[in-house]
Amino acid sequence: MTTMELVRLLVILLLVALATALITGRTRVPYTIGLVLVGLVIAALRLLPSVHFTPELVLDVFVPALLFEGAWNFSVDELRRVWIPVALLVGPGLLLTLGVAALVLHLVAGLSWGAAILLGAILTPTDPVAVLALFRELGVGGRLRAIIEGESLLNDGVASVIYLVVLGLAETVAQGHGLTGLGVTGAFALGFAQLALGGVVLGLALGISMGWGLRWIDDPLVETTATLVATYGVYLLAERLGFSGIVAVVVLGLTLGVWGRRIGMSRRTIEAVDGFWGQIAFIANAVLFLLIGAQINVREFLGGPDTGALLAVAGWAIVAVLGGRAVAVYGLRPVAGWLRVAREPRRASPVLLWAGLRGALSLALVLALPLDFPERPLLVAGTYAVVLFTLLVQGLTLRVMLERLGLIGAAAPARPGPETDRSER
């Protein structure tokens, strides 16, 4: 594809996104769900044959920007209020979801243990963009919104690390290297520690260094550009060193958003950074959700020779993910009580269950699998099915659930400004 063709395609996608925004603004369909529906039409009618959803495009271009924007805007006050329920969902909750899903996929759907665990890891990251947009539209705020946003922000990193470790173990076994149960456990723990802790240390070190360094600069354009360079720089460096780039970006964004902005940025710089990353996130999400729909060609999926086997795995993948999510959400409520945590009202639990949408990261992870990976077509089919089901079925019915549960109207307060202002230096 030439440069001119790439620019023309981007302009067309943005025009489609703007038109979709105008249309969905007059309907009850969330904007991001409307983009997926338009993408499905584009794929079915082959209106834009040059549109491709590649894992490199998502993981190396879109994901760092979206993760940094989310971490930068996550309020420290909200994090303090919900860190225990978020930690429960990201830690034991994620493992429960993955474990239940893997059991169903192996025992019922017939996938091998390696493929079942890998698909569970692929489908664990949640994508709350559509949910949070609907929450803002309907005035849903407070702890519920903060928990969903915080969980999604952190579980992307944890789930991606688990995916990389499990994929590495599966490839090791496929090459004929035998591993005992203890050996698998040790290798998993060592791989997880290297990827996750390395990303945490790298992101934290760069975030602290930037926070102190920006105290000596008072130029919004330069400082905004520095956040862009740091986001992609820490991602690329982490990947090169064998760490998790996703974890590094999340930690960098949280460090700068919670601490760096207070000691190193003036109010006008913070406003410039907010506006820049808000625009980047809007464009990235618009293009991504269009590409999600355009990637999944339902007609081709149903017309292959292995349609029966693919549909069976697809159906059980949906059941597995919903079952795992239900066990995590409802199973952790007693634990929260034992920890004397002010729990969400019981009517919020169905929302936590139903708001676990899957999106671009899951698609990118499954498409990044080696082409010769055993059972790859089944894993791709399962991921497509779960992404479509969660976005279209859960995403389109979430408004009705919120209305019936009486959770509409409790808008969250605006994010407070920085406590200090460097403009008087």
Side-chain angles (χ1 to χ4, degrees), residues 15-31:
L15 284 174
V16 172
L18 291 174
T20 304
L22 293 174
I23 295 173
T24 55
R26 302 177 181 273
T27 67
R28 293 169 62 88
V29 177
Y31 164 60

Side-chain angles (χ1 to χ4, degrees), residues 366-377:
V366 77
L367 293 176
L369 290 173
L371 295 177
D372 59 349
F373 186 84
E375 302 171 280
R376 185 181 189 274

Side-chain angles (χ1 to χ4, degrees), residues 64-135:
L66 291 174
L67 289 177
F68 180 86
E69 191 272 340
W72 165 266
N73 285 307
F74 196 69
S75 167
V76 63
D77 296 324
E78 291 179 342
L79 185 60
R80 287 196 189 103
R81 289 190 298 119
V82 302
W83 75 269
I84 291 182
V86 167
L88 288 174
L89 288 172
V90 173
L94 184 147
L95 294 178
L96 281 172
T97 302
L98 194 157
V100 172
L103 280 173
V104 172
L105 292 168
H106 173 69
L107 299 178
V108 183
L111 295 179
S112 66
W113 272 118
I117 296 174
L118 192 59
L119 184 54
I122 289 170
L123 296 175
T124 298
T126 55
D127 189 344
V129 174
V131 175
L132 295 177
L134 182 62
F135 279 14

Side-chain angles (χ1 to χ4, degrees), residues 247-259:
V247 172
V249 170
V250 170
V251 173
L252 171 69
L254 286 173
T255 304
L256 289 177
V258 171
W259 176 78

